[in-house]
Amino acid sequence: MSVTLVNPEGLPKPEVYRQLSVATGSKLVFLAGQVARDAHGRPVGEGDFAAQVEQCYLNIATALAGIGGSFDDVAKLTVYVVDWSPEKMPLLGEGVGRAAAKLGIDPVKPITLLGVAALGEPDLLVEVEATAVIE
């Protein structure tokens, strides 16, 4: 399996994500949105946006490891943020960076960021879903 990340000519070249990914493999994986809950369903990072982002990314890695994959197999992420504002961008980056350091991965993927009014539970500040391609 291979995921090649690309910023094609003619499009902006952002530092924090890539415009597209080209994935080869035999199995498409659509991961449900991950939230800031530990393996026992307990809240993680209550009121702490960066901590919740970190836990979402760690949960994605855990889910993929459970089927023989890894975060490197992620082809696309969608991030849902409650009451998004540009001031939250540094905290988003902080949470992603902490997760990447723990996982030893390059977290730069094609990403869609959506501001939402609320998520499924009132303490949730962020939810991250992933599409991956594995062998």
Side-chain angles (χ1 to χ4, degrees):
M1 199 296 303
S2 169
V3 175
T4 304
L5 302 172
V6 181
N7 273 329
E9 290 302 318
L11 291 178
K13 299 194 178 14
E15 292 182 24
V16 297
Y17 68 93
R18 297 299 174 260
Q19 295 288 3
L20 62 92
S21 64
V22 179
T24 58
S26 59
K27 198 181 309 183
L28 270 178
V29 179
F30 300 95
L31 184 59
Q34 296 300 300
V35 297
R37 298 286 187 261
D38 68 12
H40 304 288
R42 293 182 298 242
V44 174
E46 288 187 70
D48 183 338
F49 181 64
Q52 288 197 17
V53 170
E54 177 183 3
Q55 188 64 43
C56 292
Y57 273 63
L58 295 175
N59 288 350
I60 290 169
T62 298
L64 291 172
I67 59 167
S70 74
F71 200 92
D72 290 332
D73 299 320
V74 171
K76 169 85 169 58
L77 295 167
T78 303
V79 179
Y80 302 90
V81 179
V82 174
D83 296 324
W84 172 256
S85 67
E87 292 78 30
K88 291 184 180 180
M89 186 60 85
L91 294 172
L92 177 64
E94 179 184 331
V96 170
R98 291 194 319 228
K102 284 183 179 177
L103 297 169
I105 54 123
D106 178 356
V108 176
K109 305 286 182 177
I111 186 171
T112 299
L113 176 65
L114 298 168
V116 297
L119 292 168
E121 297 178 47
D123 65 308
L124 298 174
L125 303 175
V126 61
E127 183 169 332
V128 183
E129 66 181 23
T131 302
V133 181
I134 63 175
E135 288 299 326

